[in-house]
Amino acid sequence: MPAKCGKGNMRRVVAPYREVEGRDTMHGITLISAPADWEILQQEEGSARIHLEGKYKVHPAAIQVGVEKAIPVARVMREEDNSTVIPWTPARTVNQGEDFTGTFETDLVVPAGGLYRIETSLETKSTQPDLTWLYRGDCVLHVGVGNLFLIAGQSNSAGYSRDFCTDPPSLDVHLFRNRGKWDLACHPMNESTFAGSLANEEMGIPGVSPYLSFGKNYAQQTGMPVGLVQTSLGGSPMKRWMPEGGDLYRNMADKIRQTGGKYAGILWYQGCSDTDPDQAPVYYAHFKEYVDTVRRELGYDIPVFTMQLNRQINGIHDDCWGMVREAQRRAAQEIPGVYVLSTTNLGLSDGIHNSAQANVVLGEKLANQCYHVLNGGAEYAAPALEAVEIVTEEERKALGLAEEGHWLKLVFAHVKNCFLLYSDLGKDSGFTLEDGQGEVEIRKVRANRQDKNAMYLHVSRKPEEDARLSFAWQADPVRLPMVDEVTYLPPLSFYRRPLG
């Protein structure tokens, strides 16, 4: 779990708890600083420290009777059954003025879970024997202690599915909306009602996001609520997320200041807008700079969960799509604490945006990966190419590969059982092979349970030493890529990998 927020540019700004006319005249407890209704606080080692600040005032009628002492107290109640989690506890620091008015501060260490209600009261003891009274105090409602995630990226992260599916709200998942308020999470998650002028105000109306499904599944796996902080924007290129001059980076920094600076991870889905000849070659460097800067300013190595690009129907610059997907694969391999899922078998709702059903499934997959990485659950990762080997004639016969000629063995990591092929024809496989002589035809593909980590390619001729292999790299790659038989994740796309 993340360490404390660093002392960089993203330190939290504590706003007044509520600004309501007439609150200064109220007796009892008035909170000045506290969690917001619906807020999710990041747990660390199973709990979170909640800080309360407020002022108090004894009712004039009580002063007329006679007051011996007044003590601000607070407690935490479980909203589900109204049971007590933390009983009435006196404030840690009290500064008392005239006529039993004053200010106070206190901290409550609250266990992971919820939803909770935080209650405050002013315990007043009269000068008359055996007469005490709990005067009214402010309450904070629907607070949870669980895991917070920053949502960043472009349209498939903001949620642009225009079709429909069943994905209802859950009390386990809350959202810090663009209006700057915590709320129950529901679609659309990047709407901008009451948001004012925002860097990430969508031009259109966003649709179904993958992250409500993610939150519900991850909450069920961990037994803790999930908080989501939305900062993504449809169509946003990487340059808008760069620390130097990026308006979306500054907007994200503002959201971090407002929501505490402690998170379980960043959920990143972006790259379609960088599939052009100028930006694709530098995508890896820019993404690494983004990750390094966020971590430096937060003060801890926040995990980053990413997705490789899906597809664009009739898209252009195939090689640029290949370069961006390759950069996304490399980032997960080379930058510690960065993880990636494949998406090329997800359906679309239009030419480029995942469908609603696909986003629900993607959210489930992402929850499985986070549960593995953050909580030690079962491994959940997309198959990743590790090595390519030339199959000898003796090996071909031993493996039972019927077709004579030249074969390549592809060795993958993270295969649960074996690969499920939708076609054994090379032209349907998503693989392409080229060398100094040009393209090498792939005729057949084979997989079997006896050698679950392997995929075999029957090629038209022996590749030269400069040969490069690619998989699912074009703007609109293979529609039915092979998948792991258990996870149904296709292998990570790769682009122009040497055969070494």
Side-chain angles (χ1 to χ4, degrees), residues 108 283 362 434:
L108 301 171
Y283 187 86
L362 180 58
E434 58 183 345

Side-chain angles (χ1 to χ4, degrees), residues 395-415:
E395 290 171 332
R396 180 190 71 80
K397 293 178 179 178
L399 290 166
L401 299 172
E403 293 84 353
E404 296 182 357
H406 303 284
W407 285 87
L408 299 178
K409 178 181 180 180
L410 280 54
V411 181
F412 289 84
H414 312 305
V415 181

Side-chain angles (χ1 to χ4, degrees), residues 255-494:
K255 295 291 181 66
I256 289 172
R257 280 191 287 268
Q258 295 172 54
T259 55
K262 298 178 183 179
Y263 310 93
I266 295 175
L267 310 179
W268 175 269
Y269 194 166
Q270 190 275 339
C272 296
S273 293
D274 290 84
T275 54
D276 65 70
D278 292 329
Q279 299 303 315
V282 295
Y283 187 86
Y284 177 89
H286 286 172
F287 177 74
K288 187 176 187 302
E289 182 180 353
Y290 166 83
V291 172
D292 290 345
T293 305
V294 172
R295 287 175 170 175
R296 184 168 57 251
E297 297 204 34
L298 283 174
Y300 59 92
D301 288 343
I302 186 170
V304 182
F305 298 91
T306 70
M307 271 70 74
Q308 277 191 318
L309 300 182
N310 190 350
R311 68 182 70 246
Q312 181 179 15
I313 307 299
N314 298 321
I316 59 175
H317 301 311
D318 281 344
D319 57 333
C320 295
W321 283 77
M323 283 188 276
V324 171
R325 289 198 190 97
E326 175 67 10
Q328 292 166 335
R329 182 199 66 80
R330 282 183 56 209
Q333 182 182 47
E334 299 173 11
I335 306 174
V338 173
Y339 307 90
V340 65
L341 284 177
S342 52
T343 66
T344 48
N345 65 335
L346 297 179
L348 300 180
S349 64
D350 54 27
I352 197 169
H353 297 114
N354 297 337
S355 69
Q357 295 90 341
N359 273 340
V360 169
V361 171
L362 180 58
E364 295 172 358
K365 294 177 179 181
L366 182 60
N368 291 338
Q369 186 182 58
C370 285
Y371 190 61
H372 162 60
V373 172
L374 301 177
N375 305 94
E379 183 189 57
Y380 194 88
L385 180 68
E386 284 194 321
V388 182
E389 304 170 2
I390 302 293
V391 177
T392 66
E393 181 63 15
E394 292 76 14
E395 290 171 332
R396 180 190 71 80
K397 293 178 179 178
L399 290 166
L401 299 172
E403 293 84 353
E404 296 182 357
H406 303 284
W407 285 87
L408 299 178
K409 178 181 180 180
L410 280 54
V411 181
F412 289 84
H414 312 305
V415 181
K416 286 287 187 180
N417 193 32
C418 73
F419 285 112
L420 173 63
L421 302 180
Y422 296 95
S423 170
D424 66 353
L425 299 178
K427 66 181 182 64
D428 300 328
S429 68
F431 291 102
T432 59
L433 180 62
E434 58 183 345
D435 60 15
Q437 296 186 41
E439 184 175 348
V440 182
E441 180 189 359
I442 298 173
R443 294 173 173 171
K444 292 282 187 179
V445 293
R446 293 282 189 271
N448 61 70
R449 287 184 176 82
Q450 288 69 43
D451 196 4
K452 69 175 187 178
N453 295 316
M455 171 70 57
Y456 296 93
L457 307 184
H458 184 219
V459 297
S460 60
R461 60 179 174 82
K462 183 178 180 180
E464 295 185 347
E465 291 184 0
D466 62 350
R468 297 289 186 270
L469 183 69
S470 303
F471 173 72
W473 56 279
Q474 302 94 332
D476 187 11
V478 56
R479 298 296 177 90
L480 293 174
M482 61 184 186
V483 295
D484 184 298
E485 193 178 51
V486 174
T487 65
Y488 271 72
L489 288 170
L492 294 174
S493 300
F494 53 89

Side-chain angles (χ1 to χ4, degrees), residues 38 77-80 113-117 142-144 171 174:
W38 296 103
M77 307 292 287
R78 183 173 287 106
E79 290 184 328
E80 183 178 35
L115 299 176
Y116 299 128
R117 180 176 69 252
H142 321 314
V143 174
L171 288 176
H174 301 181

Side-chain angles (χ1 to χ4, degrees), residues 152-336:
Q154 58 184 115
S155 54
N156 275 320
S157 202
Y160 250 74
S161 304
R162 302 310 178 97
D163 52 344
F164 63 92
C165 67
T166 301
D167 192 23
S170 165
L171 288 176
D172 289 333
V173 188
H174 301 181
L175 174 67
F176 189 74
R177 292 191 177 274
N178 286 331
R179 64 189 72 180
K181 302 289 186 181
W182 280 99
D183 194 4
L184 185 68
C186 68
H187 303 300
M189 296 174 69
N190 203 35
E191 53 81 26
S192 53
T193 309
F194 302 127
S197 178
L198 278 176
N200 68 331
E201 183 179 352
E202 291 282 0
M203 291 291 291
I205 301 298
V208 173
S209 158
Y211 300 121
L212 178 54
S213 170
F214 159 78
K216 290 189 290 188
N217 281 274
Y218 190 63
Q220 184 178 34
Q221 291 169 318
T222 61
M224 306 177 199
V226 169
L228 302 171
V229 181
Q230 174 68 277
T231 70
S232 54
L233 175 67
S236 56
M238 193 72 222
K239 63 183 179 182
R240 295 185 66 182
W241 293 96
M242 298 304 295
E244 292 295 329
D247 60 335
L248 292 178
Y249 185 90
R250 291 194 303 272
N251 177 73
M252 183 188 69
D254 288 341
K255 295 291 181 66
I256 289 172
R257 280 191 287 268
Q258 295 172 54
T259 55
K262 298 178 183 179
Y263 310 93
I266 295 175
L267 310 179
W268 175 269
Y269 194 166
Q270 190 275 339
C272 296
S273 293
D274 290 84
T275 54
D276 65 70
D278 292 329
Q279 299 303 315
V282 295
Y283 187 86
Y284 177 89
H286 286 172
F287 177 74
K288 187 176 187 302
E289 182 180 353
Y290 166 83
V291 172
D292 290 345
T293 305
V294 172
R295 287 175 170 175
R296 184 168 57 251
E297 297 204 34
L298 283 174
Y300 59 92
D301 288 343
I302 186 170
V304 182
F305 298 91
T306 70
M307 271 70 74
Q308 277 191 318
L309 300 182
N310 190 350
R311 68 182 70 246
Q312 181 179 15
I313 307 299
N314 298 321
I316 59 175
H317 301 311
D318 281 344
D319 57 333
C320 295
W321 283 77
M323 283 188 276
V324 171
R325 289 198 190 97
E326 175 67 10
Q328 292 166 335
R329 182 199 66 80
R330 282 183 56 209
Q333 182 182 47
E334 299 173 11
I335 306 174

